[in-house]
Structure formats: C-alpha cells, structure tokens
Amino acid sequence: MTTRHKTQVAIIGGGPSGLLLSQLLNLAGIDTLILERSSREHVLSRIRAGVLESGTVKMLRQAGVYERMAQHGIPHNGCYLTDNDLMVHINFKELTGKQVLVFGQTEVTADLYAAQDAMGTEIVHGVTDVLINDLDQTRSTVEYSVEGTRKSIECRYVAGCDGFHGVSRNTIPADVRQEYERIYPFGWLGVLSQTPPANDELIYANSERGFALASMRNENLSRYYIQVPMTDKVDEWSDERFWAALKQRLPSATAESMMTGPSIEKSIAPLRSFATEPLRWGNLFLVGDAAHIVPPTGAKGLNLAVSDVFYLHGALIDAVKNNSKTGIDAYSDRALARIWKSMRFSWQMTTMLHRFDDEDSFAGQMRRATLSHLEKSETARRDLAENYVGLPY
Ligand code: FAS
Ligand code: PHB
C-alpha cells in the first residue's frame, strides 16, 4: 500500500486510458500514481475491443508496448459489410493506404501493466470512495480509501480515466457539464470460442433478423456478436441458440463453412452513444470512456481513448516540464473535435446495420440502398474506410 503523499499527475482508473497516459508521462520523466477500483485480475478478465487503428498502434509503439502486438497482432487490409448474401468488401489498404491490427484490448492492457511495473509506477488497486478536491488551486488533492485506511495524494493535475461509471465526470459541476446521449434499444451478445475464425477478415452482417459481427483474436480464437433486445439475459442464450442465430444472419456460404464450439466467454454489452463537454475542469481532465461512449459497431471505443491520451499527454508534459498552459487549455476542444467525428461514424454504422423494433419498411430499404451504394461507389467505400482505419489526430 502506498505511503506517498505527492505526485505530479494523479490518474484515476487503471484501464487502457490511465495506463497508456501514465506510461507516456513516465517516459517523459513525469511522476504519476494510478488509483484503480478493481483488482488487476478483474481488469484483465474483461473482454472488450479487438481492432486497433494505425494511430493506436503508433501510440503503443511510442509507449514501448509493441513487441507482443507486432508478434501476435493480425494486420487486416479490409472488412466486409453484408446484407444476407450480398458481401461488400471495403479494402482499407487500397482506399486509404492504411490497415488496422486485430489485437485484443485485454492483451494491450496486460502489456501496459507489464510496462508500468517495469517503470516502477505506483498502481493502487482496490481503491474506493475517491474524492477529487481543490481543482481550482495550484495543487489538488485526491482522497481515497484502500484496505480500510483513508489516504490522500497531493498532485498538480488529475486525469479522470475511470470509465463511464467512474467519479471523475461527475466531479465537474452538473451546471457546467453538457451531456449528449443516444441509448440504443438493443445490445450485443458476445461469444468467445476456441475455433478458427469464420472468415479471414471481419464481417459486419445486416439481416432481417438483426446485426451480427464475425471477428477474431487469433487463428484459433474467434469473437462473435449478435444484436439482441436489451431485455435479454445471457443465461437465456445457450451456445446452440447463439450459433443458430449467428448463422441465420451471416452470408449463407460463411454460415455453412464456419466451425462452432463451446463458448469460453459470453456476455451482453449495452449500446449507447454518449459524450460530455467540457473535458476539463481546472486541474481535472477527462479521458476515454469517462468522457465518451460509442457503440462498438465502428470499433472506435478503445481507439478514441488513445487519441484523447495523444492530446493530453503532450499537453501535460508541456505544462509540467515547461510550465506552458497552451496544450492543457486546448485539450478539451482538440479532443472533442475528433471525438464527435468518431461518434458520428459509430452512430452511422450502428443505424445502418441494426434493425430497430419500431422501424418501418422504408428503413429496411434505406439499409439495403446504403449497402448497394457502397458496393457501387468507391467514394462511399473510401469514406467508410477513412473513418474505420482512424481519422488523423
Ligand atoms: P475503462 O472502462 O476500460 O477503464 C476504466 C477503469 O477505471 C476501470 O478499470 C475501472 O475499474 C476503473 N474505475 C472506475 N471507477 C473508478 C473509481 N471510482 N476509482 C478508481 N478506478 C475506477 N471498444 C471497442 O473499440 N470495441 C469493442 O468491441 C468494445 N467492446 C466493449 C464491451 C464492453 C462490455 C464495454 C464496457 C466496452 C467496450 N468497448 C469496446 C469500449 C472499451 O474498449 C473502452 O473504449 C475502453 O475500455 C476505454 O478505456 P478506458 O477509458 O481506460 O475505460
Ligand atoms: C471485437 O473483435 O471485439 C470487435 C471488432 C470490431 C468491432 C467491435 C468488436 O467493431
């Protein structure tokens, strides 16, 4: 348990945002301390994102967590969008010159923990009752409890990397915060199975029965999702029921040839679009899911957290090392400019590929027309590809 009372940047949350920010600040000689609510085992047990934008790969390389990603990550030059048996290939490489890397967030987080351990950074797990004070003073304090003891740490800046259900966002006064939200009436039932992937590239499938996604983690670990009503419970979905529903939504050739097997993880994730403004309140800066949530249809969640870290790490280095406030003053607007564009893309992919219970026949026609436009128009495919591989920082 830490006995420290001071740090330069206190980071709340030991997920990918907090860990990556801490690693980049430490590499620049800035002292940090991470306060994490869960155990490390719990953080590393969460199955989340699977696709890394090229910008994310660059940032992880800059942070020194590159070897395993280079060894085990699978470069993908494209993906498929399908409507029953119509398969439209989006060739990222041809259209943008870029590719994405399939490498699980769990692996990224594990590598970041290992790098932070090697750095000797203090990460306090099992913290509760975090309270952030004096954000309008030159030095702020973060109070927290751990193993029954109340502690506090004095710091110059606080990074709120504590996800959607954290305390940071609500530390900004309600009358200062402007929140934007769209809750979708469905979730994603996700399954991990030790089976070869159904296809060499991801398939985002649209069908009368709803959305499905065929993804992967490696050549013998597949990740699948199907759209389910938010009222569904995981234990209502046997493996057999899941595989049958998935196959009905994928192109028939894929469904016939794919291998199924026992699920090793099964969970339902709700879908929402959410953003809060501003991302700064005095010495506090919101990063990643603490600031925004996107539906995973655009594979943006983790990648957007990384671009927030890109903007904030440079700003904090300037503020701490050179006492220049320019970067931190600009952080919120700079990060939000990219956040809103990714928010739009994720919303567009979600509305284009999911069925809404109250939709009329016109909506189905619009989905099919969008897909057939993508099939025929290189311009439309380039627009999708540019957003999917990641807009510039
Ligand atoms: P995280 O939520 O990962 O980390 C926040 C950390 O803060 C957690 O470890 C939490 O324990 C801790 N914390 C919370 N409150 C605290 C407090 N009061 N004090 C201290 N610590 C506190 N993105 C994709 O791109 N593709 C996907 O397929 C995808 N699937 C997802 C499925 C689910 C179920 C969820 C929830 C998210 C998914 N995401 C996906 C988005 C996800 O990958 C996030 O974008 C990513 O985890 C963001 O990282 P962080 O900002 O670090 O937030
Ligand atoms: C995943 O593999 O978990 C994944 C991939 C792409 C997405 C969402 C999830 O858009």
Side-chain angles (χ1 to χ4, degrees):
M1 188 160 62
T2 175
T3 52
R4 293 178 51 198
H5 303 292
K6 268 196 178 149
T7 185
Q8 288 171 306
V9 180
I11 296 176
I12 305 174
S17 295
L19 293 165
L20 179 58
L21 178 63
S22 181
Q23 180 69 4
L24 291 167
L25 293 177
N26 295 164
L27 286 171
I30 292 176
D31 184 75
T32 57
L33 181 135
I34 299 177
L35 300 173
E36 165 56 48
R37 178 180 60 188
S38 307
S39 69
R40 190 172 292 198
E41 295 66 35
H42 180 78
V43 176
L44 294 174
S45 69
R46 296 190 294 232
I47 307 288
R48 293 219 178 138
V51 172
L52 306 183
E53 294 174 356
S54 50
T56 297
V57 172
K58 233 155 69 192
M59 286 292 284
L60 290 169
R61 192 197 315 225
Q62 184 185 325
V65 284
Y66 184 62
E67 290 69 31
R68 276 196 338 126
M69 187 169 60
Q71 199 186 348
H72 301 294
I74 311 170
H76 275 210
N77 291 328
C79 74
Y80 289 88
L81 270 64
T82 68
D83 181 334
N84 295 303
D85 285 342
L86 170 64
M87 293 186 77
V88 179
H89 188 238
I90 310 292
N91 190 324
F92 309 141
K93 195 80 177 161
E94 214 173 74
L95 294 161
T96 70
K98 290 182 183 173
Q99 56 189 179
V100 296
L101 195 74
V102 170
F103 188 62
Q105 172 175 324
T106 314
E107 305 309 319
V108 170
T109 310
D111 288 351
L112 285 167
Y113 266 116
Q116 282 280 276
D117 290 346
M119 195 64 85
T121 304
E122 190 99 46
I123 304 176
V124 185
H125 287 277
V127 305
T128 56
D129 306 314
V130 170
L131 214 51
I132 311 168
N133 307 308
D134 310 324
L135 287 171
D136 56 352
Q137 305 299 310
T138 309
R139 296 192 70 76
S140 299
T141 53
V142 179
E143 290 176 44
Y144 61 97
S145 298
V146 61
E147 294 171 2
T149 310
R150 194 73 182 148
K151 305 181 84 57
S152 83
I153 186 104
E154 197 193 290
C155 54
R156 185 69 193 82
Y157 296 107
V158 182
C161 303
D162 47 351
F164 186 67
H165 301 290
V167 298
S168 301
R169 184 173 65 253
N170 294 330
T171 301
I172 300 179
D175 60 352
V176 171
R177 290 196 318 266
Q178 173 72 50
E179 299 189 346
Y180 305 84
E181 185 166 54
R182 169 70 49 90
I183 294 180
Y184 300 94
F186 39 73
W188 279 15
L189 168 59
V191 157
L192 199 61
S193 63
Q194 270 160 343
T195 52
N199 194 52
D200 59 349
E201 291 180 332
L202 271 62
I203 297 176
Y204 290 83
N206 157 46
S207 80
E208 291 73 31
R209 296 174 186 270
F211 170 81
L213 170 60
S215 182
M216 64 198 73
R217 290 293 178 270
N218 60 47
E219 64 284 347
N220 199 37
L221 194 59
S222 298
R223 180 69 170 161
Y224 295 107
Y225 298 93
I226 58 170
Q227 167 188 351
V228 292
M230 256 333 286
T231 46
D232 275 18
K233 302 279 174 283
V234 181
D235 47 23
E236 293 165 350
W237 282 89
S238 67
D239 286 3
E240 292 65 34
R241 185 183 173 204
F242 175 83
W243 292 121
L246 176 71
K247 288 186 172 184
Q248 285 171 333
R249 303 180 191 197
L250 292 174
S252 45
T254 309
E256 274 145 37
S257 61
M258 69 180 283
M259 268 179 69
T260 63
S263 58
I264 55 174
E265 193 272 349
K266 197 186 287 178
S267 53
I268 294 181
L271 265 63
R272 80 174 73 229
S273 296
F274 173 88
T276 188
E277 294 185 358
L279 303 187
R280 178 197 185 178
W281 181 245
N283 298 333
L284 171 66
F285 300 87
L286 302 183
V287 186
D289 278 18
H292 43 72
I293 295 286
V294 285
T297 331
K300 290 290 154 250
L302 173 61
N303 294 298
L304 209 37
V306 172
S307 55
D308 293 350
V309 169
F310 168 78
Y311 296 122
L312 186 58
H313 92 283
L316 286 176
I317 292 168
D318 246 358
V320 172
K321 309 280 279 190
N322 314 325
N323 204 21
S324 156
K325 304 286 191 282
T326 316
I328 54 175
D329 290 346
Y331 167 68
S332 185
D333 288 346
R334 277 187 83 195
L336 282 166
R338 189 175 190 274
I339 288 163
W340 280 115
K341 291 176 197 160
S342 295
M343 192 71 65
R344 182 204 65 81
F345 176 68
S346 304
W347 162 81
Q348 184 188 45
M349 285 282 277
T350 303
T351 47
M352 171 171 67
L353 292 166
H354 290 74
R355 282 184 60 71
F356 290 71
D357 290 346
D358 58 353
E359 72 177 37
D360 55 18
S361 54
F362 182 77
Q365 287 302 97
M366 287 301 99
R367 266 201 305 278
R368 271 182 287 285
T370 304
L371 213 71
S372 67
H373 178 53
L374 278 167
E375 186 192 18
K376 300 285 188 261
S377 162
E378 184 179 302
T379 307
R381 289 196 301 278
R382 178 168 287 109
D383 173 56
L384 192 148
E386 281 175 353
N387 280 280
Y388 194 93
V389 299
L391 297 175
Y393 286 179

